């Protein structure tokens, strides 16, 4: 028996896409040929798909392969619009944060296709359990920007009454569950919601959202265990944007296996999808949502993308990742790719693009003005301090009433 | 009125609510087919089907996590944690999620769930089957925490908890599941049928959350207790012959401060008895509150008789447990001070 | 889109081995042909082994196939002895509990081969992080039975000073970590211990233990994540004895995939082994331990076995499983199988077997007498109440000293 | 002596210990390459290598779980939880494992680990970046819980914690990482370099765990505080012109009861200030203890000024935070009662 001393392995920092596990996924030329199984396929028959990368748009922007048929041109144009709007909204709110009108902001730059494309596969009544990087789910539904902005500004019109950190929206009517700051906790709640839907003979499905870094959290496992045992109608989304604040996906285990493969040990089918390819996103989302709705249980989807922006306005990525990291990222930009595709098939043009952007900027500027009219975190009308004691319970118990009085209300 | 054990009363509460409201579901480890290791859900799967009462994987976080999701959907889940000692993996879901969901969404979503868990020692369960973690819940804004001391209250409180729109932690003192226990572990076991509070109305009724009850009126000292300790306090009082007023808190949050304050103003002395470790136990909050509200009426310091600040031991169980001798001696000292 | 109402799936109770996932494993005739890969194989090259069942003993008790070479006859005889001793110890302690000399006991009947066979693959200095059902790890090392019994009796000589529930042993010198009553928490601690060993350039390895039911706990995931990222020298054992108190393995997800397959999503190699085949246990344990010792990282092993006894002395299995469940269990009894094998090769006989059992019974009776001489939970000399305040901290802080005085010491 | 910020002092403590003792290792989310989101471990990976200072997956339970395993092996792990608000997934490992390992194994194994976590509000972090969960640790037998209020103590206490053979929860009030903060959020930020307690000896020294310190002597009332609130209490006292004695507890468990009792006996009045929610907060334990030990010396009820029993809000941060105005008003009331 060998008695060499052991050595300690710590994953080395590396450009995100250079890792062993990703190589298969980045044989991009083959990706468009990945098969599209029947909706009712057994999990055990599609294990290979967790190590592939489903794509529709090829290097030249053509929609090809078995996953290419899902979208009409109108859907694509509204997808492009939703992505552009999300990006413009992010840019504007980042500026507002820099202007100190609020405390904090988080962008989803580079990942817009995922939330926007996924939302287009859902129906009214379905419920997302999002993280802080799925504003696209709301924007793709044309949820009022002013409402979102008031939340970010924690102003008088904030429906969350100034209680939550910016971007921690809640919008029940939009099928957007209240965001928690605690990573992964909501993943298993989505499973519970879906179990309830099945128990009640409903037809609504749930969508759980998590980042690749947060898959390391314990509740990721809880969600998969319960999804495995009860087969509820839930799509388990893992957004692999390569980074969790400063740590590369290898620190979450991504160098050893794909995140999609996590599903196999639970007998849950998994897809691994180019998350920067709007057409692939929409197609895969439709597949998994239909599977859920047809009572065939849950699907895990790893969406491969890249976090182009800093983690949040509190973050400085130049401290931990190469400057050119995104530039050499092989999956490109989702907005540009969809634009090129639409242009290529004669359904879009540079001029229309420029015009749409201008329109959106104007819409956002108008909304920003309106939102700021109801105050910002630091100026103008304010959330009432007395309201701080509401909603801790459905009705206020005596000790909170006493404390509110102590504060002077 | 039929005489029930605590277990039967708890089961009956779920039965009544499952029959009345098809949104009520119950689940946990060994809860479905087997009916729970303490048999509290025995028969419910047979009666209501496995969509309403079912076994779960061994994952406390998952159990409470799905309960929160189901609650948000619109159900009324009653989740069982097999022992309170095993609630820690679920603590994040309870504290960060169930307790704050209504607040953070400004009422858009809520978690009207009940988390049942057997607590307390006295069964030679050692450190992982004996804990009383109530103070870990009472510190958390957004939770309600209740703990019955008899079958009548168990049923009424559990029905109230299931109907409550907020998350309720429902602690079940396992030592009194099958009979009242006054701490005299060396004496014959007494069944609930001998105790008047085992008489439990049939069908639906509630014991309101937030209301304490004076179990015995007295003039010399107020004893605050809950769960098993209500019985221990009564035995101790009787044995040392002190005219103590015994208050069964029943609901820790919200707390019935008025009943407590009235009593302490009357007696001028107060003792708190609980089984949990002393430091930062719920007794600390009670003591702090009483001296804030009754300072000028107190003739002696508020006294705490509690479990020691050690893990719950196995062989030394009866040295750890604050039994009638220890409570009695402390009562005498308190009357002398 | 289909709008049929959803239905809720709850796994049906069934005889443990009738589930879909197990079928492959129970093609027993093929099991002895399962290949034995090189020690340094890549995890991705042996995914199939998580769905097979490694065996050495065939239906006739012959040792066959690629995993058959690991043991000498002496090793096998001492394995048989360890298993018999474990079984006799369990029987005796169960009687003591029924006699109310202690509060509680847990047997490992039917699973003896796993702990006994595994221990024989370890070296001094290695560390097990066991559950309550691995007394075989100690007994296989001939750890003094009196010491174990004193713990079970919570008597004066209990090295745990009466603090722990019976069977929650701790034996540092024997590489047996203090057992926790909280399921799964120690699985990740084993990973941390192994990380430390690697950090220090040591050559010691760790072994983590968990039941199939407890794999649903969150810390199972934490352990796999950290084992995936840092590749420490730890063997991750999952004892699938088909039951977790009253729930069948399907309630832990076992109907959808094998527990071995859980490892794949983390890039950890996995074996699935007949845990009632002492030779297979020893061979697979040696393979995984060597892999760890050669700095090749962790291996997960699912040991397939059957909990023949009740969960504990507090349990009544007739309430939840068929009476004949174990009788129809296809993997037989580990003691009988090893006995038949040794007899078949002329190295054992019925007479020797009877004699060994008598010897062991006598040894155990002697130990029981000695242990009871130091008291039982209810009679004789006692653990000191004052010692209850020791070891909460390394040195006693003032508030505990005060409380000890309050108790009268 | 160099003047350091809290962050520098904390880093320095780890640096000193990593240089002296190669069993000391540190890890956590973003701790290795990046040096921590608050930069407390900046440079340590470069200096000691990635076996001694490294990034972990986002799994608090895993972080503390591996720390317990490493501690049992013989290392001295210092684990960082990115925010105290995220310690809940690790709570089981802290309470059921780290805190009880020595006890349950009767000393065969122990968990000499430090779990560092930034706590407290004042940075507009809302409910998940502002919590003060100290009472959830003080209730747990087997844990030590410390919280420094300045760079000098931060370094000395952290070194003591690393050298301690028991598990220590090391709370870091993040609002004072970069400068003392007296609660006047609308005034210019003061750097640590202006504060005498930023002067920090080079190399190795300890501030013993279990010793409080009187920050200011006074005759009229004793104020007990820790972390950020020490500065707030001092500002409040100054502004209302009351001759208060200010005690910085530093160590909550073990608690320096003697220093507290001496002071309260002298002044006859006591106020406790903390940021955590009031009910079952550590203030309750302090209040209970004081009235147990100083009952006959108290001229007025012990008063608690604390965060409210609500989650920590975002926009209303300064209505939640017990700032100098609130503390000052309560002080005046206390002196009048
Ligand atoms: C329980 C918990 N631990 C730590 C954090 C701090 N935290 C916030 S975001 C983040 C990184 C998450 O990365 P990932 O899951 O990949 O999502 P991404 O930010 O890339 O969208 C961390 C560590 C948290 N919010 N909750
Ligand atoms: C955290 C936690 N939850 C629940 C329990 C109660 N419990 C003790 S053993 C057990 C079943 C474990 O089954 P398995 O993991 O299959 O191990 P086995 O008993 O079959 O060896 C349960 C639920 C516990 N000890 N700890
Ligand atoms: Mg990420
Ligand atoms: Mg089992």
């Amino acid at each position: 028996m060998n008695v060499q001393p052991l050595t300690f392995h710590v994953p080395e920092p590396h450009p995100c896409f250079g890792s062993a596990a990703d190589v298969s996924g980045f044989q991009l030329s083959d990706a468009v040929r990945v098969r599209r199984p029947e909706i009712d396929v057994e999990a055990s028959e599609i294990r290979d798909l967790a190590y592939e990368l489903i794509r529709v748009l090829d290097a030249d922007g053509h929609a090809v392969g078995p996953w290419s048929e899902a979208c009409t041109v109108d859907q694509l144009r509204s997808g492009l619009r939703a992505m552009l709007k999300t990006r413009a909204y992010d840019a504007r709110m980042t500026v507002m944060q820099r202007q100190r009108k609020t405390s904090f902001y988080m962008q989803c730059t580079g990942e817009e296709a995922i939330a926007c494309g996924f939302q287009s596969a859902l129906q009214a009544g379905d419920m997302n359990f999002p993280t802080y990087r799925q504003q696209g789910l709301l924007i793709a539904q044309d949820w009022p920007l002013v409402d979102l902005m008031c939340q970010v500004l924690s102003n008088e019109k904030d429906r969350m009454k100034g209680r939550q950190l910016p971007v921690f929206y809640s919008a029940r009517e939009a099928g957007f569950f209240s965001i928690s700051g605690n990573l992964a906790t909501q993943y298993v709640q989505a499973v519970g919601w879906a179990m309830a839907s099945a128990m009640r003979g409903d037809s609504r499905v749930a969508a759980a959202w998590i980042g690749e870094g947060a898959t390391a959290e314990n509740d990721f496992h809880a969600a998969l265990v319960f999804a495995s045992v009860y087969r509820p109608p839930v799509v388990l989304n893992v957004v692999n944007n390569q980074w969790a604040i400063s740590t590369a996906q290898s620190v979450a285990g991504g160098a050893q296996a794909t995140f999609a493969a996590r599903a196999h040990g639970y007998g849950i089918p998994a897809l691994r999808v180019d998350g920067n390819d709007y057409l692939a996103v929409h197609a895969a989302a439709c597949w998994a949502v239909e599977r859920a709705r047809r009572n065939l249980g849950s699907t895990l989807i790893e969406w491969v993308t890249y976090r182009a922006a800093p983690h949040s306005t509190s973050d400085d990525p130049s401290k931990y990742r190469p400057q050119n990291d995104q530039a050499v990222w092989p999956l490109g930009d989702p907005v540009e790719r969809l634009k090129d595709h639409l242009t290529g098939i004669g359904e879009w043009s540079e001029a229309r693009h420029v015009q749409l952007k201008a329109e959106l900027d104007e819409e956002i500027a108008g909304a920003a003005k309106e939102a700021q009219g109801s105050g910002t975190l630091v100026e103008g009308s304010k959330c009432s301090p007395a309201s701080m004691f509401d909603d801790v319970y459905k009705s206020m118990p005596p000790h909170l009433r006493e404390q509110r009085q102590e504060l002077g209300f | 009125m039929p005489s029930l054990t605590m277990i039967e009363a708890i089961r009956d509460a779920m039965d009544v609510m499952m029959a009345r409201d098809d949104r009520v579901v119950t689940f946990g480890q060994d809860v479905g087919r087997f009916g729970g290791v303490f048999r509290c859900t025995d028969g419910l799967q047979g009666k209501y089907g496995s969509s309403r009462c079912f076994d779960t994987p061994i994952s406390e976080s998952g159990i409470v996590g799905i309960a929160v999701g189901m609650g948000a959907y619109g159900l009324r889940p009653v989740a069982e944690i097999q022992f309170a000692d095993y609630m820690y993996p679920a603590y994040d879901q309870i504290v960060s999620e169930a307790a704050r969901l209504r607040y953070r969404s400004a009422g858009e979503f809520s978690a009207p769930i009940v988390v049942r868990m057997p607590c307390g020692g006295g069964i030679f369960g050692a450190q992982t089957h004996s804990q009383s973690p109530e103070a870990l819940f009472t510190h958390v804004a957004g939770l309600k925490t209740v703990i019955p001391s008899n079958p009548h209250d168990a049923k009424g409180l559990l029905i109230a908890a299931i109907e409550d729109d907020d998350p309720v932690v429902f602690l079940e003192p396992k030592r009194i599941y099958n009979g009242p226990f006054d701490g005299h572990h060396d004496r014959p076991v007494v069944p609930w049928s001998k105790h008047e509070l085992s008489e439990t109305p049939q069908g639906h009724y509630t014991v309101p959350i937030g209301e304490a009850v004076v179990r015995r009126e007295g003039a010399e000292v107020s004893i605050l207790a809950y769960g098993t300790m209500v019985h221990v306090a009564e035995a101790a009082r009787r044995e040392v012959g002190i005219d103590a007023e015994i208050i069964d808190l029943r609901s820790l949050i919200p707390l019935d401060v008025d009943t407590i304050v009235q009593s302490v103003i009357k007696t001028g002395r107060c003792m708190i008895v609980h089984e949990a470790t002393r430091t930062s136990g719920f007794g600390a909050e009670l003591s702090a509150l009483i001296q804030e509200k009754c300072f000028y009426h107190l003739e002696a310091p508020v006294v705490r008789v509690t479990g020691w600040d050690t893990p719950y031991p196995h062989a030394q169980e009866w040295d750890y447990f604050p039994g009638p001798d220890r409570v009695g001696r402390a009562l005498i000292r308190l009357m002398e001070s």
Side-chain angles (χ1 to χ4, degrees), chain A, chain B:
Chain A
M1 177 67 70
N2 164 307
V3 285
Q4 291 280 357
L6 294 159
T7 59
F8 185 52
H9 171 80
V10 174
E12 277 305 301
H14 55 70
C16 48
F17 43 85
S19 75
D22 278 335
V23 169
S24 63
F26 291 120
Q27 290 163 351
L28 298 180
S29 55
D30 292 342
V32 291
R33 282 185 229 132
V34 175
R35 74 199 158 95
R36 182 182 187 282
E38 289 302 309
I39 276 293
D40 58 357
V41 68
E42 287 292 324
S44 57
E45 284 165 33
I46 58 166
R47 288 202 194 107
D48 55 314
L49 293 187
Y51 302 97
E52 300 284 354
L53 189 74
I54 294 169
R55 293 190 113 187
V56 169
L57 293 175
D58 70 9
D60 306 316
H62 300 132
V64 289
W67 292 86
S68 66
E69 289 151 35
C71 285
T72 66
V73 167
D74 274 351
Q75 283 177 318
L76 291 180
R77 270 193 299 248
S78 75
L80 183 64
R81 185 173 184 280
M83 291 199 283
L84 278 170
K85 191 168 168 184
T86 303
R87 191 167 289 186
Y89 172 73
D90 275 354
R92 179 79 202 189
M93 299 320 285
T94 303
V95 169
M96 280 206 200
Q97 192 279 337
R98 279 210 209 94
Q99 293 168 338
R100 302 271 164 247
K101 291 180 178 164
T102 190
S103 56
F104 181 80
Y105 191 74
M106 298 179 101
Q107 306 179 73
C108 65
T109 318
E111 309 174 25
E112 294 90 346
I114 299 165
C116 294
F118 191 89
Q119 181 62 44
S120 66
L122 293 179
Q123 292 176 7
D126 294 339
M127 185 63 75
N128 282 294
F129 289 73
T131 81
Y132 44 74
R133 234 182 274 288
Q134 273 86 51
Q135 49 270 58
L137 296 171
L138 287 166
I139 293 175
Q141 304 178 57
D142 270 324
W143 187 258
L145 291 182
V146 175
D147 186 69
L148 301 182
M149 289 175 173
C150 289
Q151 197 283 331
V152 171
L153 294 171
S154 261
N155 70 17
E156 201 190 27
K157 288 249 174 73
D158 170 13
R159 285 181 307 117
M160 264 103 265
K161 302 187 188 167
R163 293 182 191 143
Q164 280 272 56
L165 208 61
V167 317
F168 286 31
Y169 313 109
S170 178
R172 190 181 183 108
E173 303 146 68
F176 192 98
F177 190 71
S178 156
I179 296 177
S180 168
N182 301 66
L183 295 173
T185 43
Q186 301 188 286
Y187 217 62
V188 60
Q189 292 167 13
V191 172
W193 194 98
M195 286 170 72
S197 182
M199 286 167 167
R200 303 292 283 180
D202 198 345
S203 63
R204 294 183 283 160
V205 310
W209 293 90
I210 202 166
E212 93 294 340
T215 61
E217 285 286 4
N218 275 344
D219 277 348
F220 177 71
H221 175 61
L224 267 66
V225 169
F226 282 75
S228 168
V229 172
Y230 305 104
R231 304 181 206 165
V234 58
V235 182
L236 301 162
N237 296 289
V238 175
V239 180
N240 179 359
N241 65 2
Q242 315 303 321
W243 293 97
I245 310 185
S246 76
T247 61
Q249 56 138 8
S250 54
V251 177
Q256 307 299 321
T258 66
F259 294 95
R262 289 274 163 93
H264 293 165
Y266 307 85
I268 294 173
L271 307 178
R272 189 160 175 271
V273 181
D274 178 349
N276 286 15
D277 176 341
Y278 186 89
L279 284 83
V281 170
H282 180 80
C286 287
W287 190 88
V289 168
E290 189 187 340
R291 205 175 145 92
R293 191 132 20 230
R294 280 180 36 188
N295 212 23
L296 297 163
S298 54
T299 306
L300 187 145
I301 308 181
E302 176 182 349
W303 305 104
V304 181
T305 183
Y306 192 87
R307 193 196 79 206
H311 173 71
S312 73
T313 49
S314 309
D315 182 40
D316 174 9
S318 75
K319 288 236 164 61
Y320 56 80
R321 68 181 185 187
Q323 295 283 4
N324 67 340
D325 210 36
Q326 197 215 349
V328 292
W329 168 248
L331 298 185
D333 179 86
V335 173
E336 292 305 311
R337 283 173 70 194
L338 181 54
K339 175 187 164 202
D340 290 351
H341 169 66
L342 277 169
T343 308
I345 60 173
E347 298 286 354
W348 198 245
S349 69
E350 189 58 38
R352 289 174 76 173
H353 200 73
V354 170
Q355 193 197 331
L356 174 59
K357 278 173 85 169
E359 273 169 38
L360 291 171
D361 281 344
E362 197 174 335
E363 184 184 339
I364 286 166
K369 203 168 162 210
E370 186 183 337
Q372 291 176 69
S374 304
T376 70
L377 182 62
V378 290
E379 277 181 343
S381 40
K382 288 244 165 212
C383 297
S384 139
S387 75
M388 185 168 62
F389 299 91
D390 297 337
D391 301 324
V392 180
Y393 299 93
K394 177 109 184 252
S395 63
M396 198 179 295
H399 69 286
L400 279 177
R401 206 170 294 279
E402 217 176 86
Q403 292 183 15
R404 194 178 64 182
Q405 279 161 7
E406 211 176 311
L407 182 64
F409 294 91
Chain B
M1 283 199 293
S3 163
L4 302 184
T5 67
M6 283 281 263
I7 290 170
E8 290 163 344
I10 287 163
R11 188 190 304 142
D12 198 27
M14 288 188 271
D15 195 354
V16 166
M17 287 307 296
M18 289 175 86
R20 276 168 78 99
D21 183 348
D22 66 5
R23 298 169 309 162
V24 178
V25 295
T26 185
F27 46 85
Q29 295 157 26
D30 303 292
V31 154
R33 191 140 167 259
F34 186 46
V37 294
F38 290 106
R39 331 290 308 130
C40 289
T41 53
D42 195 23
L44 298 178
Q45 183 175 80
K47 195 157 168 190
Y48 300 101
S50 61
S51 288
R52 304 274 310 279
C53 173
F54 55 91
D55 290 320
T56 61
I58 304 174
S59 167
E60 290 76 13
S61 189
I63 290 168
V64 178
I66 62 161
V68 172
M70 290 175 183
Y73 176 93
L75 301 190
R76 296 265 156 178
V78 183
E80 176 178 304
I81 301 292
Q82 197 162 78
F83 287 86
D85 316 62
Y86 302 139
M87 70 85 185
Y88 300 99
Y91 196 57
D92 191 28
Q93 284 287 347
I94 296 173
V95 173
S96 308
E97 297 294 327
R100 292 211 298 260
L101 181 54
R102 178 189 299 283
Y103 193 77
R104 72 168 198 248
S105 70
E108 261 197 358
F109 296 96
S110 62
I113 70 173
V114 179
V115 185
R116 294 178 40 236
M117 48 182 97
C119 68
I123 61 153
F124 279 106
Q127 54 190 281
T128 55
H129 303 85
S130 305
Q131 293 168 40
S132 296
E134 63 273 9
L136 303 176
F137 301 118
T138 57
H139 189 43
V140 179
L143 291 183
K144 297 183 176 175
T145 302
V146 302
I147 174 167
S149 72
N150 59 71
H152 174 274
D153 287 0
K155 179 174 168 187
L157 272 174
L158 184 50
I159 291 176
I162 296 171
E163 290 180 343
D164 201 285
D165 291 320
D166 291 311
V168 181
V169 174
F170 191 87
L171 294 163
E172 303 174 1
K174 68 178 90 66
R175 176 63 218 226
I176 56 172
Y177 265 150
N178 287 306
F181 177 65
D182 64 8
H184 287 297
H185 51 93
D186 38 10
R187 300 199 188 151
V189 173
V190 182
W192 272 115
S193 56
K194 299 256 165 73
H195 195 289
E196 58 176 5
L197 288 172
S198 71
E199 284 178 24
T200 307
Q202 276 175 314
H204 180 279
Y205 70 93
T206 61
V207 169
I209 294 177
E211 291 186 12
V213 63
V214 177
R215 288 280 167 227
R216 178 188 188 278
E217 298 204 1
E220 294 184 291
V221 51
S222 307
I223 305 182
L224 313 186
Y226 44 90
T228 308
M229 290 302 139
V230 174
H231 304 275
V232 173
E234 171 55 24
R237 180 211 67 74
R238 203 175 44 234
E239 288 157 21
V240 296
I242 286 172
D243 184 24
E245 180 143 306
I246 297 181
I247 299 181
D248 179 352
L249 297 179
R250 300 197 292 202
S251 165
L252 308 187
I253 303 288
L255 183 67
D256 185 350
V257 177
D258 289 347
T259 299
I260 297 170
V261 167
Q262 254 170 39
S263 174
V264 176
I265 288 178
K266 179 176 77 175
T267 63
R269 283 184 161 79
C270 183
M271 169 178 287
I272 298 150
V273 189
H274 65 59
E275 205 180 331
T277 53
R278 178 174 306 171
T279 300
S280 283
F282 191 62
E285 177 60 32
L286 291 171
S287 176
L289 266 181
I290 290 162
Q291 71 88 36
E292 283 161 15
K293 309 247 176 205
C294 310
F295 184 79
Y296 300 101
H297 300 271
L298 282 173
E299 287 159 36
V302 180
V303 166
R304 294 181 281 171
V305 183
T306 68
W308 310 116
D309 285 336
T310 77
Y312 212 113
H314 179 246
Q316 302 91 337
E317 168 138 59
W318 301 119
D319 302 301
Y320 184 91
F321 187 92
D325 294 347
R326 186 135 65 88
V327 175
R329 279 198 307 276
L331 259 183
I332 293 171
R333 265 200 313 279
L334 173 54
M335 295 318 299
E336 286 166 356
S337 68

